[in-house]
Amino acid sequence: MSIRKLQGSSTEKSLSEQEQLTKINDVRKILGPVADKLPVLCSDASISRYLRARNWNTKKAAKMLKNTMKWSLEFKPEKIQWEDISNEAATGKVYRANYLDKKGRAVLIFRPGFQNTSDIRGQIRHIVYCMENAVMTLNPDQEQMVWLIDFQGWTMSCISVKAARETAYILQNHYPERLGAGILYNPPKVFESFWTLVKPFIEPKTYKKVRFVYSKEPQSQKLMEELFDMDKLDCTFGGRNSAGFNYEAYAQWMREDDKKRFDMMYPGSSSPPPSIVSESQSSETWTPSGISVASDEDDCSSGDEKTLNLENIDEKTQGLPLSCEDVTGSEAGDAVKELEKGELA
């Protein structure tokens, strides 16, 4: 995606295309040789998102991107397959809709009232899988998505503050500027207490994209009509599409998407890579308690570099970037060494 003119809020810096390119190149210089090892994460479009997330502060954006590199090398989001998360997905608590909004943005549907597990790690892996899938299917001229949150059956027992905190951290820090709009549809009164608890973990820029929508309010209905084709939108959200979530059909759709992703990552290969859960992973690979939450004004999660450990990464997979391109094991090893130097600390 080419550099584009920004249409942000009055508090966001407005830069010319040349100024944006200068900032992007400055971040790439700060990162050093590692930028060449992970070309997808260090593309102009990607660096631009990190810069916008940090109000065009090059040092903060570079540090934020470096932390995503470390997370990507460890968590290996690109290796998560449908079979790894099929149990989490059984109730349709998070899934990608088969339609776009009127701006051509992918739509992720969240139904927290359909929570079916208590495994936070599994829940996070499921959400990351859905995010990766949505990003992979975005149109070339679009980089954001819409989240629709359905509160049917939701109670305070459906989700924990800890799970919400970890989810917010990963989505904000490793998928910056991916959210175009978040629609909280018919949240119950009790949700206000939960919202108060999780709001401190949500950055101001993200918070401003969230809308509370109620089916009985004309203004809410108008908002939904502005965003969506009502013939395609689920009836749950006031639309006229009554198809609903079909697990078997969705599973087949995701398997097909996994194959497309595999073909992009390993052109010419007939054997799929090992799934993320089939590999031996130490408890150090990802520890929720090790995550510190940074606000939009903080110097990008200063606690991350102390809690991440890159010593036990599989050489064959550590270099795979956040999306669908491959690098060699030796290049990945070099990338890890560059990251471990702590040049951005």
Side-chain angles (χ1 to χ4, degrees), residues 57-331:
N57 182 306
T58 54
K59 289 184 178 180
K60 289 184 178 181
K63 188 167 185 178
M64 185 185 189
L65 182 51
K66 179 187 176 183
N67 286 333
T68 293
M69 290 177 183
K70 286 188 173 184
W71 173 80
S72 178
L73 294 175
E74 295 181 348
F75 197 80
K76 304 173 186 176
E78 79 293 328
K79 294 195 69 178
I80 305 173
Q81 302 175 37
W82 169 256
E83 305 306 332
D84 299 328
I85 54 87
S86 58
N87 178 61
E88 291 285 344
T91 60
K93 62 188 178 185
V94 185
Y95 66 97
R96 179 165 65 88
N98 61 356
Y99 53 85
L100 308 175
D101 79 338
K102 288 184 176 180
K103 294 183 179 181
R105 297 178 293 193
V107 178
L108 280 185
I109 294 177
F110 293 76
R111 305 194 298 176
F114 289 73
Q115 181 60 262
N116 62 331
T117 73
S118 58
D119 178 12
I120 293 179
R121 178 169 181 151
Q123 293 169 17
I124 295 295
R125 185 184 294 120
H126 177 211
I127 290 175
V128 168
Y129 173 84
C130 292
M131 287 293 295
E132 289 288 306
N133 177 267
V135 169
M136 181 189 77
T137 57
L138 286 172
N139 292 327
D141 61 344
Q142 185 57 260
E143 59 180 2
Q144 293 189 321
M145 61 190 75
V146 176
W147 299 347
L148 287 174
I149 296 89
D150 170 22
F151 283 89
Q152 178 184 352
W154 186 89
T155 65
M156 287 291 283
S157 63
C158 291
I159 191 171
S160 70
V161 174
K162 182 177 182 180
R165 182 190 66 194
E166 314 305 350
T167 300
Y169 176 88
I170 288 178
L171 295 181
Q172 291 178 151
N173 287 278
H174 302 319
Y175 296 92
E177 296 299 308
R178 286 299 190 184
L179 178 64
I183 305 297
L184 305 179
Y185 198 80
N186 284 335
K189 187 69 175 178
V190 68
F191 178 75
E192 293 180 8
S193 299
F194 178 78
W195 185 248
T196 300
L197 292 174
V198 301
K199 186 177 176 180
F201 305 119
I202 301 175
E203 295 182 355
K205 290 183 67 175
T206 302
Y207 175 78
K208 292 176 182 178
K209 298 176 182 179
V210 175
R211 296 289 183 269
F212 282 70
V213 173
Y214 300 91
S215 57
K216 295 182 179 181
E217 292 184 358
Q219 192 63 29
S220 291
Q221 181 68 14
K222 181 180 179 181
L223 173 64
M224 298 302 283
E225 291 174 353
E226 290 174 350
L227 286 173
F228 301 99
D229 179 338
M230 301 306 282
D231 289 330
K232 297 179 180 179
L233 182 66
D234 301 69
C235 58
T236 301
F237 300 103
R240 291 184 284 272
N241 180 0
S242 60
F245 176 76
N246 183 306
Y247 177 77
E248 294 301 328
Y250 188 73
Q252 181 60 32
W253 188 25
M254 292 299 101
R255 291 190 184 100
E256 292 172 358
D257 277 357
D258 283 354
K259 186 178 185 306
K260 293 176 184 176
R261 181 157 49 97
F262 164 71
D263 290 342
M264 292 173 68
M265 293 168 60
Y266 304 96
S269 176
S270 59
S271 300
S275 67
I276 196 72
V277 295
S278 67
E279 297 180 342
S280 176
Q281 293 181 306
S282 71
S283 60
E284 292 180 326
T285 300
W286 182 76
T287 53
S289 60
I291 292 177
S292 62
V293 180
S295 72
D296 202 39
E297 304 301 324
D298 290 339
D299 192 9
C300 192
S301 311
S302 59
D304 289 354
E305 298 187 41
K306 296 179 181 179
T307 58
L308 292 173
N309 187 324
L310 305 182
E311 294 179 357
N312 299 318
I313 299 177
D314 180 353
E315 288 186 359
K316 294 181 180 180
T317 59
Q318 63 188 358
L320 294 174
L322 202 59
S323 60
C324 306
E325 292 186 20
D326 199 1
V327 295
T328 66
S330 61
E331 288 176 332

